[in-house]
Amino acid sequence: MGAETARLPLCTRCKEQDGILDLRSEAVCETCFASFIASKAIKRLEVLQRETRGPRLPSRPQRYLLALSRGPSSTALLHILNENVRRQRERNQRVKFELVVAFVDVDVDDGVVQKRTNSSDPVSSAPVPSDSTTATDAVEVPSSSTPISTVTDAPEEATRPASPTDSFTAHFPEIPIHNIPLSSILSSPAVDWPSLPIQNTSLPPSQRLTDFFSRLPSASARADVSRLLTRHALFAAAAEHDCAVVLLGYTTTALAELTLSEAAKGRGFGIPWLVNDGAFPLPRTVDSLSSDADTDITFSPANGDSTPGVTPDKIQIYSPLREIFRKEVLTYLSIVRSPVGHPLADLFPPSEALGAVVSHRDLSLDDVVSRYFLGVEASYPSVVANVVRTTGKLNRAAPSLSGAQTDADSGVAGRQCGLCGVGLDPLGDERWKGEIGEADALTLGAADGEHGNIREGKRNRLCYGCDRSVKA
């Protein structure tokens, strides 16, 4: 008699089904794998709820804005949270949160990009954010008369233009998805537009956005600015929909990529604010439209997210998938189904393996870092996790000045960057610029005729990283 076919080992967790999947050196079944991923995300959500609910239970469920980027990570997060709410209702339990899903559409016009590419000042194409943007997915600062985004009934299905989220609506029909064009952020007073490239206001919004991106100096700059404007769109959407929390789909892998790319861009001072969970200071124009558009709020003390509850000048930003690797998210999507019974893997057709880079002209810094971590995650996942754990130990310290200070320095201390929103660090920025030999006219002494002081308001309105992104 021939040798018997080797039987698969039993799942190390339930001991009932075959262990067909590898989960961190354990052979588990599909049910246990999906349960592990969901429990990791829900536990992070429980941490959020403990830190924001205050001394008493809230009278109504908290509202969370989930940033949908149409990528695997944010899709998995949407499925996990939707299933959690569904189970709470099935068990007649008190629903702890409500979801508001927002997708920021980078509505660029390729015609404008092509036109400028053929001109004497060649540029590469406009950016297309990856899932790590998550958000991440800008809108005009919300007002009572101009909604940030609405979900309206279409007059006729045959004449309705295709929406970039139609496929997701088919999988999650009970969840309204708010589509927000990124071009609407171009009028937002929450961004310091005078410090950015000049906009051609004579163009329609979509072409105006494309023209704005085409004026940025590199593919890295376009990807970076696109991600930061998307954050502003999400903050404005959260204010519009009365959401105290923004949930991003960053995985452990994506957070490690973000850490290295932000450091490489010269935004290392802000890494704890951009990578770690907790309260993030809002531009005054987002949370209070009646205030002066040029007024910046000050940062909270170190680790400023220690105070429970939500204050009007801050918003909680959390990444519930921060303890899950990207490869685990992809496996999760391959074994779960949407509420209507469709496999979620259908949303992401198999893609070809990344080939060798022939030219780095159109490759952004984020793409380079992502390619690097693609290999590291497969072979050394502990290295990826250690990057995120180390970043989590960094304090969110407000900038301070020492030594000789100008009037402009005093006015900048404690203020936010006009693009990324992180606190400005004038001393650190000036030291870094000096070490690499930059000669910034405003930094080295653009004088105000009578007093000989550097013009206040014209200096250090952007952090070093953002200044490098928009500087030609």
Side-chain angles (χ1 to χ4, degrees):
M1 186 175 179
E4 295 183 0
T5 304
R7 178 177 174 81
L8 291 173
L10 289 177
C11 173
T12 57
R13 292 175 178 257
C14 69
K15 308 294 184 182
E16 296 178 357
Q17 303 182 53
D18 292 339
I20 60 176
L21 297 174
D22 177 68
L23 177 60
R24 305 185 183 185
S25 301
E26 292 184 18
V28 300
C29 62
E30 292 184 350
T31 303
C32 291
F33 187 97
S35 177
F36 173 84
I37 300 298
S39 63
K40 281 284 188 181
I42 297 303
K43 284 180 181 178
R44 289 301 307 172
L45 211 61
E46 291 172 352
V47 173
L48 163 65
Q49 292 165 352
R50 287 196 301 269
E51 293 182 351
T52 59
R53 71 186 179 190
R56 294 183 300 176
L57 290 176
S59 58
R60 65 180 180 85
Q62 289 184 318
R63 305 193 79 186
Y64 299 157
L65 182 81
L66 191 152
L68 179 67
S69 67
R70 297 189 302 168
S73 300
S74 59
T75 303
L77 180 59
L78 174 60
H79 180 267
I80 291 171
L81 299 185
N82 183 61
E83 285 296 298
N84 184 259
V85 171
R86 183 184 62 81
R87 287 175 183 150
Q88 291 177 24
R89 290 172 177 165
E90 286 180 350
R91 299 169 183 171
N92 293 323
Q93 296 176 340
R94 178 179 174 273
V95 178
K96 297 180 180 179
F97 60 89
E98 299 175 358
L99 279 182
V100 176
V101 182
F103 168 72
V104 180
D105 183 16
V106 184
D107 53 331
V108 296
D109 190 314
D110 294 336
V112 176
V113 173
Q114 185 64 31
K115 181 178 180 181
R116 290 185 61 87
T117 302
N118 295 332
S119 66
S120 59
D121 181 23
V123 295
S124 55
S125 60
V128 178
S130 64
D131 185 67
S132 60
T133 302
T134 323
T136 208
D137 266 71
V139 294
E140 204 162 341
V141 172
S143 65
S144 57
S145 59
T146 305
I148 193 170
S149 65
T150 55
V151 179
T152 58
D153 293 331
E156 290 183 9
E157 183 66 23
T159 59
R160 183 176 64 87
S163 168
T165 56
D166 278 349
S167 58
F168 287 83
T169 302
H171 282 74
F172 300 93
E174 297 181 355
I175 302 178
I177 300 178
H178 302 270
N179 291 282
I180 305 170
L182 186 58
S183 58
S184 57
I185 196 64
L186 295 175
S187 301
S188 171
V191 180
D192 185 12
W193 296 109
S195 298
L196 304 182
I198 298 175
Q199 299 180 38
N200 187 348
T201 56
S202 64
L203 296 174
S206 179
Q207 294 184 6
R208 180 179 167 192
L209 176 66
T210 309
D211 181 74
F212 169 77
F213 279 131
S214 69
R215 297 176 187 272
L216 297 174
S218 65
S220 294
R222 287 187 284 277
D224 188 40
V225 173
S226 174
R227 183 180 62 82
L228 296 175
L229 292 182
T230 298
R231 284 175 66 91
H232 280 283
L234 295 174
F235 293 162
E240 165 70 13
H241 295 286
D242 193 25
C243 297
V245 179
V246 173
L247 300 179
L248 304 178
Y250 283 116
T251 59
T252 301
T253 315
L255 289 173
E257 294 170 359
L258 183 63
T259 300
L260 264 64
S261 63
E262 290 301 300
K265 294 171 187 174
R267 211 176 280 126
F269 178 82
I271 285 179
W273 295 98
L274 297 172
V275 176
N276 296 340
D277 291 344
F280 190 88
L282 286 172
R284 180 65 64 185
T285 49
V286 171
D287 65 90
S288 178
L289 296 177
S290 60
S291 63
D292 187 353
D294 293 330
T295 301
D296 290 308
I297 65 172
T298 58
F299 272 66
S300 57
N303 291 325
D305 52 347
S306 58
T307 303
V310 179
T311 57
D313 59 352
K314 299 176 185 177
I315 189 168
Q316 297 286 336
I317 301 180
Y318 269 73
S319 301
L321 303 181
R322 67 183 300 115
E323 296 181 1
I324 302 170
F325 294 104
R326 179 178 291 138
K327 61 182 181 181
E328 295 174 338
V329 166
L330 296 176
T331 302
Y332 176 84
L333 291 177
S334 68
I335 62 178
V336 298
R337 292 179 174 270
S338 66
V340 295
H342 301 321
L344 285 181
D346 292 348
L347 292 170
F348 309 100
S351 57
E352 298 180 359
L354 294 177
V357 178
V358 178
S359 172
H360 288 81
R361 174 185 175 88
D362 296 329
L363 196 64
S364 70
L365 179 60
D366 295 335
D367 293 331
V368 174
V369 175
S370 295
R371 285 171 174 263
Y372 167 73
F373 274 104
L374 183 64
V376 174
E377 181 194 44
S379 304
Y380 309 100
S382 60
V383 173
V384 180
N386 283 338
V387 172
V388 180
R389 291 194 191 102
T390 303
T391 303
K393 298 177 182 178
L394 300 177
N395 289 329
R396 291 179 163 188
S400 60
L401 296 174
S402 60
Q405 301 177 20
T406 66
D407 292 340
D409 288 330
S410 301
V412 166
R415 298 184 65 184
Q416 293 174 269
C417 170
L419 181 56
C420 70
V422 173
L424 292 174
D425 181 22
L427 184 61
D429 288 350
E430 301 309 322
R431 182 187 296 117
W432 178 246
K433 288 182 179 181
E435 288 177 354
I436 65 176
E438 286 192 0
D440 186 348
L442 292 177
T443 300
L444 298 181
D448 183 1
E450 279 186 0
H451 307 290
N453 294 326
I454 295 176
R455 298 185 186 95
E456 184 174 358
K458 297 292 185 181
R459 177 181 188 244
N460 286 336
R461 283 156 48 164
L462 297 180
C463 68
Y464 177 76
C466 290
D467 184 56
R468 293 301 301 163
S469 283
V470 303
K471 189 175 182 179

Short mmCIF file of all heavy atoms in Angstrom, two decimals, residues 80-114:
data_model
loop_
_atom_site.label_atom_id
_atom_site.label_comp_id
_atom_site.label_asym_id
_atom_site.label_seq_id
_atom_site.Cartn_x
_atom_site.Cartn_y
_atom_site.Cartn_z
N ILE A 80 -13.59 45.18 9.55
CA ILE A 80 -13.50 44.80 10.96
C ILE A 80 -14.44 45.62 11.82
O ILE A 80 -15.18 45.09 12.67
CB ILE A 80 -12.04 44.94 11.45
CG1 ILE A 80 -11.15 43.90 10.78
CG2 ILE A 80 -11.96 44.81 12.96
CD1 ILE A 80 -9.66 44.11 11.04
N LEU A 81 -14.45 46.93 11.63
CA LEU A 81 -15.29 47.80 12.45
C LEU A 81 -16.77 47.60 12.13
O LEU A 81 -17.62 47.64 13.03
CB LEU A 81 -14.89 49.26 12.25
CG LEU A 81 -13.46 49.61 12.66
CD1 LEU A 81 -13.22 51.11 12.54
CD2 LEU A 81 -13.15 49.14 14.06
N ASN A 82 -17.09 47.40 10.86
CA ASN A 82 -18.48 47.16 10.49
C ASN A 82 -18.99 45.86 11.10
O ASN A 82 -20.13 45.79 11.58
CB ASN A 82 -18.59 47.11 8.96
CG ASN A 82 -20.02 46.95 8.50
OD1 ASN A 82 -20.88 47.79 8.77
ND2 ASN A 82 -20.31 45.86 7.81
N GLU A 83 -18.16 44.83 11.10
CA GLU A 83 -18.54 43.56 11.72
C GLU A 83 -18.70 43.70 13.22
O GLU A 83 -19.59 43.10 13.82
CB GLU A 83 -17.49 42.49 11.40
CG GLU A 83 -17.56 41.96 9.98
CD GLU A 83 -18.87 41.23 9.73
OE1 GLU A 83 -19.13 40.21 10.40
OE2 GLU A 83 -19.63 41.69 8.86
N ASN A 84 -17.86 44.51 13.85
CA ASN A 84 -17.96 44.72 15.29
C ASN A 84 -19.28 45.40 15.67
O ASN A 84 -19.94 45.01 16.63
CB ASN A 84 -16.77 45.55 15.77
CG ASN A 84 -16.75 45.73 17.28
OD1 ASN A 84 -17.14 46.77 17.79
ND2 ASN A 84 -16.28 44.71 17.99
N VAL A 85 -19.66 46.41 14.89
CA VAL A 85 -20.94 47.10 15.14
C VAL A 85 -22.11 46.15 14.91
O VAL A 85 -23.08 46.13 15.67
CB VAL A 85 -21.06 48.34 14.24
CG1 VAL A 85 -22.46 48.93 14.32
CG2 VAL A 85 -20.01 49.38 14.62
N ARG A 86 -22.02 45.35 13.86
CA ARG A 86 -23.10 44.41 13.55
C ARG A 86 -23.30 43.41 14.69
O ARG A 86 -24.44 43.12 15.08
CB ARG A 86 -22.79 43.67 12.25
CG ARG A 86 -23.88 42.70 11.80
CD ARG A 86 -23.45 41.93 10.55
NE ARG A 86 -22.28 41.10 10.80
CZ ARG A 86 -22.33 39.91 11.39
NH1 ARG A 86 -23.49 39.41 11.81
NH2 ARG A 86 -21.21 39.22 11.56
N ARG A 87 -22.21 42.91 15.25
CA ARG A 87 -22.32 41.94 16.34
C ARG A 87 -22.88 42.58 17.61
O ARG A 87 -23.63 41.95 18.36
CB ARG A 87 -20.95 41.33 16.63
CG ARG A 87 -20.52 40.33 15.54
CD ARG A 87 -19.13 39.84 15.77
NE ARG A 87 -18.70 38.95 14.69
CZ ARG A 87 -17.46 38.82 14.29
NH1 ARG A 87 -16.51 39.54 14.85
NH2 ARG A 87 -17.15 37.98 13.32
N GLN A 88 -22.51 43.82 17.86
CA GLN A 88 -23.07 44.51 19.03
C GLN A 88 -24.59 44.63 18.91
O GLN A 88 -25.32 44.44 19.89
CB GLN A 88 -22.44 45.90 19.16
CG GLN A 88 -20.97 45.89 19.56
CD GLN A 88 -20.37 47.28 19.61
OE1 GLN A 88 -21.09 48.28 19.79
NE2 GLN A 88 -19.07 47.38 19.45
N ARG A 89 -25.06 44.92 17.71
CA ARG A 89 -26.50 45.04 17.51
C ARG A 89 -27.20 43.69 17.60
O ARG A 89 -28.31 43.59 18.15
CB ARG A 89 -26.77 45.71 16.17
CG ARG A 89 -26.39 47.18 16.13
CD ARG A 89 -26.47 47.76 14.74
NE ARG A 89 -26.16 49.18 14.73
CZ ARG A 89 -25.88 49.87 13.65
NH1 ARG A 89 -25.88 49.26 12.45
NH2 ARG A 89 -25.61 51.16 13.72
N GLU A 90 -26.57 42.65 17.07
CA GLU A 90 -27.17 41.31 17.14
C GLU A 90 -27.33 40.84 18.58
O GLU A 90 -28.29 40.14 18.92
CB GLU A 90 -26.32 40.31 16.36
CG GLU A 90 -26.43 40.44 14.84
CD GLU A 90 -25.57 39.41 14.13
OE1 GLU A 90 -24.75 38.74 14.82
OE2 GLU A 90 -25.71 39.27 12.90
N ARG A 91 -26.41 41.24 19.44
CA ARG A 91 -26.46 40.83 20.85
C ARG A 91 -27.23 41.82 21.71
O ARG A 91 -27.22 41.71 22.94
CB ARG A 91 -25.03 40.69 21.38
CG ARG A 91 -24.20 39.63 20.65
CD ARG A 91 -22.75 39.73 21.04
NE ARG A 91 -21.93 38.78 20.29
CZ ARG A 91 -20.59 38.77 20.31
NH1 ARG A 91 -19.93 39.66 21.04
NH2 ARG A 91 -19.92 37.87 19.60
N ASN A 92 -27.85 42.82 21.06
CA ASN A 92 -28.60 43.85 21.79
C ASN A 92 -27.72 44.59 22.79
O ASN A 92 -28.18 45.00 23.87
CB ASN A 92 -29.80 43.23 22.51
CG ASN A 92 -30.84 42.71 21.54
OD1 ASN A 92 -31.08 43.31 20.48
ND2 ASN A 92 -31.47 41.59 21.88
N GLN A 93 -26.45 44.76 22.43
CA GLN A 93 -25.54 45.51 23.27
C GLN A 93 -25.55 46.99 22.88
O GLN A 93 -26.01 47.36 21.81
CB GLN A 93 -24.11 44.96 23.13
CG GLN A 93 -23.94 43.54 23.60
CD GLN A 93 -22.53 43.01 23.36
OE1 GLN A 93 -21.79 43.53 22.53
NE2 GLN A 93 -22.16 41.96 24.09
N ARG A 94 -25.05 47.79 23.78
CA ARG A 94 -24.94 49.22 23.50
C ARG A 94 -23.85 49.44 22.45
O ARG A 94 -22.71 49.03 22.61
CB ARG A 94 -24.58 49.97 24.77
CG ARG A 94 -24.39 51.47 24.59
CD ARG A 94 -24.07 52.12 25.92
NE ARG A 94 -23.75 53.52 25.73
CZ ARG A 94 -22.54 53.99 25.46
NH1 ARG A 94 -21.52 53.13 25.33
NH2 ARG A 94 -22.32 55.28 25.32
N VAL A 95 -24.21 50.09 21.35
CA VAL A 95 -23.25 50.38 20.29
C VAL A 95 -22.33 51.49 20.76
O VAL A 95 -22.79 52.57 21.14
CB VAL A 95 -23.96 50.78 18.98
CG1 VAL A 95 -22.95 51.14 17.90
CG2 VAL A 95 -24.87 49.66 18.50
N LYS A 96 -21.02 51.22 20.73
CA LYS A 96 -20.06 52.15 21.33
C LYS A 96 -19.60 53.25 20.38
O LYS A 96 -19.08 54.26 20.83
CB LYS A 96 -18.84 51.36 21.82
CG LYS A 96 -19.17 50.36 22.93
CD LYS A 96 -17.91 49.62 23.38
CE LYS A 96 -18.24 48.62 24.47
NZ LYS A 96 -17.02 47.87 24.91
N PHE A 97 -19.76 53.05 19.08
CA PHE A 97 -19.29 54.06 18.15
C PHE A 97 -20.10 54.02 16.86
O PHE A 97 -20.72 53.00 16.52
CB PHE A 97 -17.80 53.87 17.84
CG PHE A 97 -17.46 52.56 17.21
CD1 PHE A 97 -17.48 52.40 15.83
CD2 PHE A 97 -17.11 51.47 17.99
CE1 PHE A 97 -17.17 51.18 15.23
CE2 PHE A 97 -16.78 50.25 17.41
CZ PHE A 97 -16.82 50.11 16.04
N GLU A 98 -20.08 55.14 16.15
CA GLU A 98 -20.68 55.26 14.82
C GLU A 98 -19.58 55.56 13.82
O GLU A 98 -18.64 56.30 14.11
CB GLU A 98 -21.72 56.38 14.80
CG GLU A 98 -22.89 56.18 15.75
CD GLU A 98 -23.81 57.38 15.75
OE1 GLU A 98 -23.50 58.38 15.04
OE2 GLU A 98 -24.83 57.35 16.46
N LEU A 99 -19.71 54.99 12.63
CA LEU A 99 -18.70 55.18 11.59
C LEU A 99 -19.16 56.19 10.54
O LEU A 99 -20.29 56.13 10.07
CB LEU A 99 -18.38 53.85 10.91
CG LEU A 99 -17.39 52.90 11.59
CD1 LEU A 99 -17.18 51.67 10.71
CD2 LEU A 99 -16.07 53.58 11.87
N VAL A 100 -18.28 57.09 10.20
CA VAL A 100 -18.45 57.97 9.05
C VAL A 100 -17.26 57.70 8.12
O VAL A 100 -16.11 57.88 8.52
CB VAL A 100 -18.48 59.46 9.45
CG1 VAL A 100 -18.57 60.34 8.21
CG2 VAL A 100 -19.65 59.74 10.38
N VAL A 101 -17.53 57.23 6.93
CA VAL A 101 -16.46 56.82 6.00
C VAL A 101 -16.26 57.92 4.96
O VAL A 101 -17.23 58.38 4.33
CB VAL A 101 -16.80 55.49 5.31
CG1 VAL A 101 -15.66 55.05 4.40
CG2 VAL A 101 -17.09 54.41 6.36
N ALA A 102 -15.02 58.34 4.79
CA ALA A 102 -14.69 59.40 3.83
C ALA A 102 -13.57 58.95 2.92
O ALA A 102 -12.58 58.35 3.36
CB ALA A 102 -14.30 60.68 4.56
N PHE A 103 -13.73 59.23 1.63
CA PHE A 103 -12.70 58.95 0.63
C PHE A 103 -12.31 60.26 -0.05
O PHE A 103 -13.17 60.98 -0.57
CB PHE A 103 -13.21 57.96 -0.42
CG PHE A 103 -12.32 57.85 -1.63
CD1 PHE A 103 -11.09 57.21 -1.54
CD2 PHE A 103 -12.70 58.38 -2.85
CE1 PHE A 103 -10.26 57.11 -2.65
CE2 PHE A 103 -11.89 58.29 -3.96
CZ PHE A 103 -10.65 57.64 -3.85
N VAL A 104 -11.03 60.58 -0.02
CA VAL A 104 -10.52 61.80 -0.66
C VAL A 104 -10.05 61.45 -2.06
O VAL A 104 -9.11 60.68 -2.25
CB VAL A 104 -9.39 62.43 0.16
CG1 VAL A 104 -8.88 63.69 -0.53
CG2 VAL A 104 -9.86 62.76 1.57
N ASP A 105 -10.72 62.02 -3.05
CA ASP A 105 -10.44 61.73 -4.45
C ASP A 105 -9.45 62.76 -5.00
O ASP A 105 -9.73 63.96 -5.00
CB ASP A 105 -11.75 61.77 -5.25
CG ASP A 105 -11.54 61.41 -6.71
OD1 ASP A 105 -10.48 60.86 -7.04
OD2 ASP A 105 -12.45 61.69 -7.52
N VAL A 106 -8.29 62.28 -5.44
CA VAL A 106 -7.30 63.17 -6.05
C VAL A 106 -7.73 63.43 -7.49
O VAL A 106 -7.33 62.74 -8.42
CB VAL A 106 -5.90 62.56 -5.99
CG1 VAL A 106 -4.85 63.54 -6.52
CG2 VAL A 106 -5.54 62.16 -4.56
N ASP A 107 -8.58 64.42 -7.66
CA ASP A 107 -9.20 64.69 -8.96
C ASP A 107 -8.30 65.59 -9.81
O ASP A 107 -8.52 66.78 -9.94
CB ASP A 107 -10.57 65.34 -8.77
CG ASP A 107 -10.51 66.57 -7.88
OD1 ASP A 107 -9.63 66.61 -6.99
OD2 ASP A 107 -11.33 67.49 -8.06
N VAL A 108 -7.27 64.99 -10.40
CA VAL A 108 -6.35 65.74 -11.23
C VAL A 108 -6.72 65.58 -12.70
O VAL A 108 -7.35 64.59 -13.08
CB VAL A 108 -4.89 65.27 -11.00
CG1 VAL A 108 -4.45 65.57 -9.59
CG2 VAL A 108 -4.75 63.79 -11.31
N ASP A 109 -6.32 66.53 -13.50
CA ASP A 109 -6.59 66.53 -14.93
C ASP A 109 -5.28 66.26 -15.66
O ASP A 109 -4.35 67.07 -15.63
CB ASP A 109 -7.18 67.88 -15.35
CG ASP A 109 -7.70 67.86 -16.78
OD1 ASP A 109 -7.00 67.35 -17.66
OD2 ASP A 109 -8.81 68.38 -17.01
N ASP A 110 -5.19 65.12 -16.30
CA ASP A 110 -3.94 64.75 -16.98
C ASP A 110 -3.58 65.70 -18.12
O ASP A 110 -2.43 65.82 -18.48
CB ASP A 110 -4.04 63.32 -17.54
CG ASP A 110 -4.14 62.28 -16.42
OD1 ASP A 110 -3.68 62.60 -15.32
OD2 ASP A 110 -4.68 61.20 -16.66
N GLY A 111 -4.59 66.39 -18.66
CA GLY A 111 -4.30 67.29 -19.77
C GLY A 111 -3.39 68.44 -19.38
O GLY A 111 -2.50 68.83 -20.12
N VAL A 112 -3.62 68.96 -18.17
CA VAL A 112 -2.79 70.07 -17.71
C VAL A 112 -1.37 69.61 -17.45
O VAL A 112 -0.39 70.27 -17.78
CB VAL A 112 -3.40 70.71 -16.44
CG1 VAL A 112 -2.49 71.80 -15.90
CG2 VAL A 112 -4.77 71.28 -16.76
N VAL A 113 -1.25 68.41 -16.85
CA VAL A 113 0.08 67.88 -16.59
C VAL A 113 0.84 67.68 -17.90
O VAL A 113 2.00 68.04 -18.03
CB VAL A 113 -0.01 66.54 -15.81
CG1 VAL A 113 1.37 65.91 -15.71
CG2 VAL A 113 -0.57 66.79 -14.44
N GLN A 114 0.16 67.11 -18.91
CA GLN A 114 0.81 66.86 -20.19
C GLN A 114 1.23 68.16 -20.85
O GLN A 114 2.30 68.26 -21.44
CB GLN A 114 -0.14 66.09 -21.10
CG GLN A 114 0.47 65.67 -22.41
CD GLN A 114 1.61 64.70 -22.21
OE1 GLN A 114 1.62 63.92 -21.28
NE2 GLN A 114 2.61 64.78 -23.09
#
